[in-house]
């Protein structure tokens, strides 16, 4: 008998996403972004994001169903991001997911947002090898993880960001360089015309699997300040910054694969869409004999399909659904893919 169709809902930041997955296969998904509404502020405004989720959630679910050729009554389980993320934004998604699950009489699963990024790759490349190394790189998170069974086993952190994440570094330096928000795509575009060896930016924490991009951000700002009164060679600065970030990320990830004897590296998250991160990861994995897996661009940024993918794994693994009083945890650490915080502050078993 086929597994139930899982509807996934994502609303942790500025994208409202809905996706439908069954047995590891993506049936349909849709995303609405409020990024343009935040651009003039240079970053995400929580209140604006929450209102945007309220307006977008129902149309996004309908669009995903239409793409899949399904009716809402075909959904057999609902999965929703319960953390981490913006509190108000998470509450919108959870309220919508609870309403749908209750109306349909189907189980509800809380999902850790970062586990969703990991699971996104399974929609393109199939089940994750056990074990595999996962590099998560996004606006707020940079982590190096040892992953076994994503639905059942604890996730082992080999390294995490100590201050600014890679995507956050791109956003902040882009503003200094006079580039638009979001900074990651802007840096990537401009870097194509620059020399990645033009500026010798630092490579932070070379002897650790942890990440720190605050110093790199500061170095880029100091370099830009040194051009006051002169034209800033933005392309060279962007290319050099991008090279430093890609070098740090891929060097640590490949070294971890070698140390732990892992043959597959999975790179996920919004910064996985960066062209230099992808190309340098390919180059270094090829040289090391490591298989590289990176989701397609449409699944790198926040989306509901990745949350549905985790829900699908949880359903097939026989994990208990969320309790009725499941809540959110805006700062939840990544320990398991299933995240069922409750309103009392305790975590359901």
């Amino acid at each position: 008998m086929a597994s139930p169709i899982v509807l996934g809902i994502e609303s942790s930041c500025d994208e409202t996403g809905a996706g439908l997955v069954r047995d590891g296969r993506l049936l349909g998904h849709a995303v609405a972004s409020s990024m343009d509404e935040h651009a003039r502020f240079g970053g995400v405004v929580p209140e604006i994001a929450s209102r945007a989720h309220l307006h977008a959630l129902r149309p996004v679910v309908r669009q995903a169903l239409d793409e899949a050729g399904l009716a809402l009554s075909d959904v057999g389980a609902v999965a929703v991001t319960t953390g981490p993320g913006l509190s108000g934004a998470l509450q919108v998604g959870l309220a919508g997911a609870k309403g749908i699950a209750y109306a349909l009489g189907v189980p509800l699963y809380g999902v850790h947002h970062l586990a969703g990024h990991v699971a996104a790759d399974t929609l393109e490349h199939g089940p994750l090898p056990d074990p595999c190394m996962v590099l998560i790189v996004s606006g707020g998170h940079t982590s190096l993880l040892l992953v076994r069974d994503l639905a059942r086993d604890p996730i082992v952190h080999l390294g995490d960001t100590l201050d600014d994440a890679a995507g956050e570094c791109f956003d902040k330096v882009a503003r200094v360089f006079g580039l638009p928000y979001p900074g990651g795509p802007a840096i990537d575009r401009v870097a194509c015309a620059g020399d990645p060896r033009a500026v010798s930016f630092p490579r932070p924490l070379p002897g650790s699997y942890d990440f720190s991009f605050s110093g790199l951000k500061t170095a880029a700002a100091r370099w830009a300040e040194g051009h006051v009164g002169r034209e800033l060679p933005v392309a060279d600065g962007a290319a050099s910054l991008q090279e430093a970030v890609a070098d740090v990320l891929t060097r640590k990830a490949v070294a971890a694969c070698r140390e732990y004897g892992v043959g597959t590296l999975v790179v996920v998250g919004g910064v996985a869409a960066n062209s230099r991160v992808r190309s340098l990861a390919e180059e270094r994995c090829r040289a090391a004999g490591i298989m590289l897996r990176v989701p397609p661009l449409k699944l790198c940024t926040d989306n509901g399909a990745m949350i549905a993918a985790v829900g699908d794994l949880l359903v097939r693994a026989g994990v208990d659904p969320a309790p009725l009083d499941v809540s959110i945890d805006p700062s939840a650490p990544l320990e398991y893919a299933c995240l069922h915080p409750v309103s009392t502050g305790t975590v359901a078993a």
Side-chain angles (χ1 to χ4, degrees):
M1 183 179 296
S3 300
I5 294 170
V6 179
L7 167 66
I9 293 174
E10 156 63 22
S11 68
S12 65
C13 192
D14 58 345
E15 273 97 20
T16 312
L20 295 147
V21 171
R22 170 189 266 172
D23 289 329
R25 187 168 69 90
L26 178 59
L27 306 177
H29 83 115
V31 177
S33 176
S34 60
M35 188 176 296
D36 290 345
E37 299 176 55
H38 306 284
R40 66 192 179 99
F41 300 102
V44 176
V45 180
E47 292 81 2
I48 292 176
S50 298
R51 286 197 296 269
H53 290 308
L54 278 170
H55 291 298
L57 184 56
R58 187 172 179 177
V60 159
V61 170
R62 173 48 54 195
Q63 186 179 342
L65 288 166
D66 289 345
E67 182 180 288
L70 297 170
L72 187 60
S73 57
D74 294 319
V75 170
V78 179
V80 62
T81 303
T82 47
L86 303 174
S87 178
L90 290 168
Q91 290 283 15
V92 173
L94 178 58
K98 282 184 173 182
I100 293 171
Y102 180 79
L104 297 177
V106 301
L108 175 69
Y109 294 85
V111 171
H112 196 289
H113 174 79
L114 296 182
H117 279 301
V118 178
D121 184 72
T122 67
L123 300 175
E124 181 72 13
H125 300 118
L128 295 170
D130 179 1
C132 64
M133 193 68 63
V134 177
L135 175 64
I136 297 180
V137 275
S138 67
H141 304 274
T142 305
S143 295
L144 192 56
L145 312 169
L146 186 62
V147 176
R148 296 190 178 279
D149 186 322
L150 185 61
R152 297 183 177 91
D153 294 338
I155 295 166
V156 179
H157 290 245
L158 304 181
D160 292 287
T161 186
L162 302 180
D163 40 57
D164 288 356
E168 187 177 2
C169 177
F170 280 146
D171 284 340
K172 291 180 177 178
V173 174
R175 183 184 299 183
V176 173
F177 286 1
L179 298 174
Y181 176 85
I187 291 281
D188 203 356
R189 286 192 302 270
V190 173
C192 295
D195 179 0
R197 295 163 296 184
V199 189
S200 182
F201 285 134
R203 270 55 170 172
L205 301 180
S208 167
Y209 288 139
D210 285 325
F211 300 92
S212 169
F213 292 105
S214 180
L216 176 58
K217 172 200 67 182
T218 301
R222 295 290 176 267
W223 172 79
E225 290 170 2
H227 289 78
V228 172
R230 296 179 289 148
E231 183 179 356
L232 181 66
V234 175
D236 285 346
S240 298
L241 175 77
Q242 183 171 263
E243 187 67 22
V245 171
D247 182 26
V248 169
L249 293 173
T250 58
R251 189 180 300 277
K252 290 175 186 265
V254 170
C257 287
R258 285 173 167 157
E259 179 177 345
Y260 288 86
V262 176
T264 301
L265 171 64
V266 184
V267 183
V268 298
V271 181
N274 179 271
S275 62
R276 185 53 181 155
V277 170
R278 295 170 82 98
S279 65
L280 191 55
E282 290 172 3
E283 177 186 323
R284 287 181 167 166
C285 283
R286 190 183 309 113
I290 296 167
M291 177 181 291
L292 175 67
R293 292 174 39 155
V294 186
L297 296 180
K298 67 179 181 179
L299 295 179
C300 285
T301 53
D302 294 350
N303 61 85
M306 69 186 197
I307 304 304
V310 177
D312 176 61
L313 291 173
L314 297 176
V315 169
R316 288 190 282 148
V319 174
D320 290 337
L324 293 177
D325 58 347
V326 65
S327 186
I328 61 165
D329 185 348
S331 57
L334 177 57
E335 298 172 341
Y336 288 88
C338 184
L339 180 63
H340 289 169
V342 294
S343 55
T344 58
T346 59
V347 178

